[in-house]
Every structure is written in C-alpha cells, then in structure tokens.
Amino acid sequence: TSSPTSTSPTASPTTVSPTKAPTSSPTSTSPTAAPTTAFSANDDPNDYLRFARLHLRLTSGSPGFPAGGELTSKTGNATFSRSFTGFSNQPPGSSGTIQAFSGGDRCTGGTQRLATDSFSVSRTAASVVEAILQTPTLYYDDSTVRLHYHVRDASGNPQVLAATVSLSIASRTSNDTAVSAKSCSAFSTTNGVSTCQLDMGISAWFSTAAAKTATVTVTTGSISSAALSVTLAQRRTDVAALTAGGMITYLPEHPLYASETYVSKTTATSPTFPLSVFQAKYEYDITLLEYVSFSQSALFNPFTISTTTAATVQVLGNGRASSASEADVTGFINPLVSISWKVKSTATAQRYAAALKLKVVAMEGPGSQTIFTPSDTYVTVESLQDASSKLTGEVEVAATGTELGIYAYLSSAELFNTAALTNISVSSTATVKRVLSAAAYSDGVLASAPTCALSSATVANAAASGVNCAVTVSSANTAGSGNTSLAVAYGNVTSISVPLRVWFPQTATLIVDDAELNAIDTTACGVSPPLLFQESEVFLTADFGGTGLTTVSVDATCLSGVVFASSGTSVVSVSGSVLKGVASGMSTISVSSAVMTVGTVSIAVSSTAVQVLSMQGVLTTGSTFDALSNVASDGTLTASTVLQQTLAQETAQGQIFFWARFSDGKYKQITDADFLSLTVATGFTNSIALSVSNENNFGTVPTNAVTGDGEMISAAWQCSDGSASVIGSGLTQVKVVIPVPTSANVTVSASQTKLTRSGDAAVGLDDGGTLGTSLELIVTVSYQDGSTVTFTTDDRTTYTSSDDTLLSITSTGVVNVPTTSTTSGKATVTVTFPTYTAGASLSASIELEVVLYASLQIAVNPYDGSQFYTSTITTLQQVQCTGMYQRGWAKLTAVLTDGKTVDVSTSTGSTVTSGTNSSISMSGGSGSRFILIGEATGSSIITGGFKSTSTGSTITTTVTVADTSVTVTAITDTTSWSTSGPSSFVGIRGSTKSLTARITFSDSTQFSNFRSASWITPSTYLMFASATTAYITLTTDGKATLLENFYDLVDLTMSSSCASASIASMSTTISVYPNLNPSARDVDLGNSIGQQF
C-alpha cells in the first residue's frame, strides 16, 4: 500500500533540498533509480555513488542540535549537507565534532567508514565590565590602586573574547595634571575574572592641606565599568630639614595589616663634620612589631646591630667606608639605616600610639667632634598624618579580610530546558567569591552559604550549593526567558544580579518517516505468513524559546534521555529511534520521557507485502568535510561532506553498503544481520579488479589488479545464512583505476655497497663505510601517475645474483655472503617482477662488492711521549749523551682485497709483542697504541697480530737498540708568552713559567716539546740561562721566575749539552720584556704588555 500523504517523502529525487516545516516528515535521503547501462571508463567517480545514503550528526557531548525539520540532504551524487543550531546549550569556546556515517539509525548507527570535522562556538566581545575597589583610600606613600574586575557578554557568559583591559583614574580637582590609563592583568577566558594592581603615578595629586577625591574606571574596548570613588588621604606634613646634627625616622602614612612587613627609614644630618661614629637606639612596641632585618648606607663600614635588650634595636656605626670620602658623609645622609619590621599576626586592628621611638645616643666626627649632643629625649619620628606627637611614631593596623563585595559567574549562562522532553534536570553552577581587603588582596571563598534566588521561578530554580549557587531547570519549570537573573546575597555586602537566559520547548512534534509498515514479500523463502516487516524512523522536533528570545527549532530525536514508546509492542517494536513492524495491527508511538504535551503518531502494520524491486549499493573509500568554521551561539552551521570512491592502487579498500528498494518507494539498509551476501559480479570474476569480503563488507583491490569499471559487486538478500533463495538482489558500480608501472629502482639502505663474510677479519673495518656482513636492499616501482610503491618484501619481487658463490639474497631483499665463500669480488643483483602482470617487463640492478681481509703490515715509527710520528725507524738510539733511548710505536695496517688499507693499531683484536723484552719492552694496547721502549742494546723481533683466526693475521719486523747517539741539531722555542704585542713575561712578582721547545735530532726525529719525553730529565742534555737574573731567573729544568720590571729585553737561552762527550752545542735565545702586574693594594705604572715605558 502507499504511505499516508502526511508522512511520505517524495519519490527518489536526485537533489534533495532541506525543508523547514516541523509538522511534516523530515526530508530523507532518497537515491535515484538504478542506471540501465554500464558506466564507461571516463565516468566521474561520483556517478558511482549515486545510491549512497549518508547521515550527518553531532557526536556525544558536542554543543548544539541538528536543525529541526531538516535531515541530511543530498546534492548531486556525492555531496551531503545538514544544518545545526542551538549552540547556546554550551558555553562559548566549547568545541564539538560533526560525524558522517552510513547505516543504522540516525542516533546510534554508524560504520567503520566515518568522517569527522571539528568546530567551536565563537566567543563574543565583553559587553559588561564590573569592578570592586579594594583600596577605597589611597595614601601618598601607598597610592597603588587595587581592584577586582570581571567581564561577561550580552548573554551573561563570562567566556568572552580575550581583550586588553585598562585602568584610568581622574582627579576631581581641576588643576591636577591628568595621568594616562594603564593596562591591567588579562582576565581569564574561562571565568572572565582578574585583578588590577597599578601605581598610577599620582603622587603630585596628594595635598598636605586636605583630603581629595578621584574616580577609578575599568575599560575594555568601548565598555567601561561604573566610576568608583576613591579618597586621596591628606598627605603628612614632615618637619623641616635639620640644620643641626641629628636623625629622623620615617614610618608609613598608610595603614598596615597583620603579618605585613614594612621598612622604617632613618636619615642623618651632620652639617659641619664628617659623620664617623654613631649609636642609635630604637624602642618598639613588642605587642605590635618584631624586628626582621636591616640595611645600611654603603658610605660606612659595616654597622653593628644589637637586639639583646627586649623591645630595643641598637645600631652602632664606626667609621666611613674606604670607598667614601669625608664629603660623602658630611651633610644630609639618606638613608643612614633602614630597618625591616613585621606586624605581628596577633596585632589587632587599632592605632598604636607608641609603635616606634628613636634615641640618638651619640654622633661624632673622626676626631671625636660632637655632632649631636645626646639627651634622654627622643628624636623625630614621622608617622601618621594626624599623629599626636612626632616623638612617638604611630602605626595604624587595619582589619584583615574586610568584605568589600561579592561577585559570581555561571559555568553556563544560557540553558536549554530539555527536562520537559527527558525528565532529566539541567543545571549550571554559579561560583560565588568575596572580595577582601587584606595585604594580599586576593579573592576569597565564602565563609558560609549565600542566599540564591531566581527572578522567575517558572523559568528556573536556584539554591545554595555549599558556598556557591546551583541554577536548575527541570520539568517543574514551564517557561523560557531571555531576561531572567540570579540574585545572590551574602552577609552585609550589597547583593548582586547575574543574568541568565533559559530556552524552553514551547512546542514539540513527533513525526515518523513511514506511517504504514508493510510485510516484505518472502515468497522466495517459502515463508507464509510473512515474518519480515518494514522499518521506519521516528523524529522529535522542538521549538525552544521564551520571553525576549528568538525561537530555535531543533531536532531533539537524539537528545540523551529522550525515550520513544510503542503502545503495542507486539505490533511495533522500538529500538532507539527505529520502529520495526512485528505483526499486523495498529500502535501508537509516543515520547514516554516527556512531561510536556507531545502529540502521538499512529503506525499501521499491514500484512500486504511489498516486493523488493532492486538492491542499490555503493562502495565508498571515505568522505571529506568542507572546512567547518566557528559558529556563534545563536547561529546556524551547515556542514557538508563529499563521499569518495578512489581505488587507485593495490590493497586499496572501500566499504560496501546496500539498500533494498521496495515497491512502495521505501528503503531498508541490508546488513549482515539480514543475511547480506556479497560476491564479485558475473563478468568480473576473472578481471582481478576487485575482491569482496562478507566478513566485514569490504571491497579490496587485490595484487596484480587491473583497471576496470562497471557493476562489479553483486549483493543478495538471502533468506537465511548461506541460503540459495534470496529476497532481493542487485549490483553496484565500482571503478578501479590502477596506474601503469613505468620503472623500477633498487638501492641499499646502508651508506655503501660493500659487504664482507661473517667471521672475516674485515668485519667492522672502515672501507668508505663500516663493513657489515649484510646489506638491505630497497626496491621501489614508479607509476605513470607519479606515485611510488615499495616492493622490497612484495611476493612478486624476485632477486637474482650474477654470482651465487659471492652473494645470496633472501626473499625480503637482505644480501649476505655465503659462509662457504672464500673469494672476493663484485656481483650484480637484479630485481625482476615475473608474477607482477603489469610490471613483468620491469627490472633494476645494482652492483655490490664482497671485500675480505688480505694481509697485515707492521711499521715502527718515532714517539716522543705525546706525538705519534709517521716516518719509519728500525733503530732506537741514545738521546744525546743521556743514556736514555728513543721510543717508537707500532703501526698495524690491514690490507683488504679491494686494495684499501685500514689502520688497525688501536682496533680490538690487535696485538704487538716483543721477542726480547730485555732489549725492547712494550706498553699500551687494548684500544691504545703499542709503545716500544728501548731498554738495552740488542735486537728484538716485533710481532704484530690482528684477529688471530684470520689468514695472514701476524707479521714481524726487527728493531735494534744501539748505543750510538742522536744529537741535538736544532732547538726551537715554543713558549707561550703574552697573547698580543711583543714577547712579555707578565705576572705579579714571583710568577713562574715553564719554557717549552721543539728539539730536532740528527736522525731527523723530533721531540715536539722536550717536556713530553718524560723518561728523560731535561737537564741531562739541555741548559737554561738568563742574561739578567735580577729580573728573570731560570732553573736547571727551564722554569722561569719573574722578579722585577725592566725597561729593556732580557735574553733567555736554551742550549744542548753533553757532559761526557765532545758534541757541538746548539742553542736558541728568546728575548722578553719583564713586566709586573700590580698585586692587591698595589699600583703599576706604564704599559702592561711589552716595554714598561
């Protein structure tokens, strides 16, 4: 039978536009009829998606609702759109996700092929800024303005756009110079709260004649707070500057708080004599103050502080600092001493008349001149402006934590009362804080519960929740409003009002997609009467609004807590928002969770069977969203996604969906639960363009796939699992475009193309890169479309070696040298793809080389204790006539089969031994070079080894120790003198410097520095002399000592010597300037480098 005209959608339009009217059935996605001809290879892939039925929805926890009266609409063949609105149900700045899915009901259905995109609810600029002043009175010595401020938007939300906030102050006295506004600390974008604490630079506004007033304003953008009045306290009139000797101490003019620390400053006047010695005694009220620390003028030697006497601090000064002149400590000294005091935590709020007094016990000049005549009276202490005496400093302690005001902000200032549909209350927390006057000026948690009330109980309810307020909308509330407010009262401070907007569902409408559910013709299954019936979806739309609000129509079907019910579950069953026919009859569908009136809908279930006219399907590889923009709280967001079918490479996959189209124009998605069977369609079974899986309803491009298109997938709605009888069947269009392979390439993952046999001595040696026992190949195939695919481990890749005795290759492209191989050389690895149909003609090759260890070489080279020379020697001779022999080091060189040589002198596995240790002993090894030490005349066979298991692993050479001598033929000074200018010996008196020199011997060997040859005492073959020992002296081992400045160069000589033989002496002379640096408290005249004058 046909569906009722009031609920039936139109028949299969190719473009579906969304409708607005909530009184009729929402527009659903209806595909066009199946094409009668196959597609051509040049068809647009979107044409293959014309039967797709896609849904868009908000994921759980996202702000907003689907727009009422609209479902997902389809434009063309593959573009799907849906609108969303009502984003005020979550605070500005909230983020959400829109999801595209196919299959299942619109609330809980979905498959693996999902596409998602994110959005956020835009913040708006602050439209209200309110401030609470924490410093109602400013003082000349404490003129910092401190206040709390908070912002919110026009709807009452504290989550506003970040913006700069400034503080301005204006004097009400016309002749005061205006000051510029200053920036406050940024407010929190979560709660809109911050503080402002600024020195506005208004010290010139304070008057000694009377108090004054000013106004303070907080501004952000074009919005300003109400002007707050502030008093500028009358400034203290200080005594005139002293003309005679004496001291004055200064205490704060402004009140202090318990536990606050402040500093008293004491100045001194010494008009005639330099101040040298003084003693000052501070007497303080121990019920009020405790001593913390002091600081002093840098013009004096360190002061002595005494606190041993209760309630007294004595300061003693004795002499000016060496860096200060007498003029510095004559006249006015500001400050002389500063003392830090702490107001005791137990101090009560009151005025302390004798907080601090000062006696000057003594003030004298450097010759004991009297600067101040001591007496038993106190000197001036400046304190409060209206202090009764200037001899006893007064301190006012203000009450800590005085409540100046309260403020509150809502976690959500806009609420949708969905409780009328779900019977589940919705709430928002109003955080309430009090603003306190205290030294820290921090906002405080309330000490007790506030009083909370709503301006309209029909809109919402409010109650205290601990020290905050809870605002709740429930089924008991019956209206919405755009101008209600939360009133919060606490203690004696002024109550406040926090704006709140509440949307209420003024109307709600229940709609079904199909009001008549017919039996499905299952004659082919041999089943009578029918056991299968059609399904329908039910929709709930609601118009939310209220006084002063613009009505918002939303789809509330998927709202958490909405429950649909069937009056006859034996006729119609309900699962979420899906209605399923069970047996012939009538049933009434209602919203059982609603407490407001929502009309019901009648559903008829008929035994008159509808036939399956066709099975329509799609294969999709996913979808992409158009980029979503941010959306205003009261705005509408239209999301659009494009379904895709792109099968352009082997192993590409797509998910398959099929719908049965009935003779009454309705549709049902057929899933595995309905015994959906998928196969490759006749005519494509041998094309290897696509394979299908019934396990997860995926279509996959197999290996060796070829390009193909057409009705590739066949679907059958089976009567039962595996049954040959079907209720309906159909085909779906698929297009596979496999690019043509054009070339292949093979490389190695290592930095070189050489390798060696496992266990060979060449393993680990550097042959243009570390030699390993294997190489990993990388095989890639390039395609006509510019893409590249790695084929290294593909089963169709075949590796062959031009010489199997040299190289073996695994099926995964790992190259090794056979363990039985004994030869080296080059071989070519060729890669082919014989079983890759499209790439059977491709090949690539790479030449690799097997390198083995061939032999070992040994040479003995000179060694001077620090330098390893490369010239070869065979004899270790005596050095001059010292009786000590030269030393050498053994160089081991491995020769590889490719002709390369590698120094293995310090490699693991290297050994060097001496055949005759009495002539030559050895040191070093184990990662360091082997040193040959001449011990006595004679010869020794030196044997070198490298990885003893290798062929040719040892080599020998003979080294002789002879009594013949190598003599010094040149001495070259290498001493480091001054860093710039002429050579100078610079340092304080007594500084030393060790001379250094390079020594060249008659056999051309060298000591880079004679001191490096630690086994030879320098004085046994070298002499050192200074031409002028009054300025620079030299020891027998060449250490120079600087004694005095000198106006000229001093010659220092190093020469060779031999006490027991007549050997020509070689020498070198160094000329340097002696130049002393001054030591502590000394002075040096003249140049610091080179000649002194």
Side-chain angles (χ1 to χ4, degrees), residues 200-533:
M200 299 301 294
I202 57 171
S203 58
W205 290 4
F206 289 88
S207 169
T208 58
K212 301 163 68 175
T213 57
T215 56
V216 172
T217 307
V218 178
T219 301
T220 178
S222 60
I223 306 300
S224 296
S225 69
L228 306 175
S229 181
V230 62
T231 299
L232 308 183
Q234 182 179 348
R235 180 181 172 183
R236 180 179 68 202
T237 303
D238 290 345
V239 298
L242 298 176
T243 56
M247 299 183 186
I248 299 177
T249 289
Y250 297 87
L251 293 180
E253 297 181 44
H254 64 279
L256 302 174
Y257 291 95
S259 300
E260 184 177 357
T261 299
Y262 74 95
V263 176
S264 67
K265 179 183 74 171
T266 300
T267 63
T269 301
S270 180
T272 306
F273 303 107
L275 177 60
S276 178
V277 176
F278 71 88
Q279 180 180 354
K281 184 168 71 173
Y282 297 86
E283 298 175 5
Y284 62 94
D285 185 343
I286 59 174
T287 66
L288 170 68
L289 302 176
E290 57 184 61
Y291 167 77
V292 178
S293 63
F294 84 101
S295 61
Q296 67 166 77
S297 169
L299 299 174
F300 296 89
N301 292 331
F303 295 166
T304 300
I305 297 291
S306 173
T307 58
T308 55
T309 303
T312 301
V313 175
Q314 294 198 63
V315 182
L316 293 86
N318 186 14
R320 61 182 170 86
S322 59
S323 58
S325 66
E326 289 190 347
D328 291 336
V329 295
T330 303
F332 185 58
I333 302 167
N334 181 23
L336 176 66
V337 61
S338 297
I339 298 181
S340 292
W341 306 93
K342 182 177 182 180
V343 179
K344 287 190 172 182
S345 60
T346 55
T348 57
Q350 60 175 298
R351 177 176 290 206
Y352 291 80
L356 183 70
K357 296 182 287 186
L358 172 63
K359 282 185 178 180
V360 179
V361 179
M363 287 181 68
E364 296 180 353
S368 299
Q369 303 95 335
T370 299
I371 297 172
F372 175 81
T373 302
S375 65
D376 199 32
T377 59
Y378 298 102
V379 298
T380 300
V381 178
E382 295 285 8
S383 57
L384 302 180
Q385 181 272 331
D386 58 349
S388 58
S389 170
K390 289 188 178 290
L391 298 180
T392 57
E394 297 186 20
V395 168
E396 182 175 345
V397 175
T400 301
T402 300
E403 293 167 347
L404 302 173
I406 58 171
Y407 66 93
Y409 56 87
L410 284 159
S411 56
S412 294
E414 301 178 83
L415 298 175
F416 272 66
N417 188 350
T418 56
L421 301 173
T422 65
N423 202 22
I424 300 173
S425 298
V426 179
S427 63
S428 175
T429 298
T431 300
V432 185
K433 294 287 187 72
R434 54 181 176 163
V435 179
L436 305 173
S437 66
Y441 295 98
S442 59
D443 299 347
V445 176
L446 302 189
S448 58
T451 300
C452 314
L454 259 296
S455 57
S456 174
T458 61
V459 174
N461 301 102
S465 176
V467 293
N468 297 312
C469 293
V471 177
T472 304
V473 291
S474 67
S475 58
N477 303 114
T478 57
S481 174
N483 53 21
T484 190
S485 60
L486 168 69
V488 183
Y490 175 76
N492 296 321
V493 298
T494 304
S495 63
I496 59 170
S497 177
V498 183
L500 175 71
R501 299 207 301 180
V502 177
W503 275 262
F504 185 81
Q506 299 171 324
T507 61
T509 305
L510 191 63
I511 308 166
V512 293
D513 189 36
D514 187 358
E516 183 171 356
L517 305 180
N518 291 84
I520 298 172
D521 185 358
T522 56
T523 304
C525 303
V527 177
S528 182
L531 298 178
L532 294 178
F533 291 87

Side-chain angles (χ1 to χ4, degrees), residues 955-978:
I955 190 72
T956 63
T957 187
T958 300
V959 178
T960 301
V961 178
D963 276 340
T964 55
S965 297
V966 292
T967 60
V968 177
T969 59
I971 302 174
T972 305
D973 175 50
T974 58
T975 309
S976 176
W977 297 100
S978 54

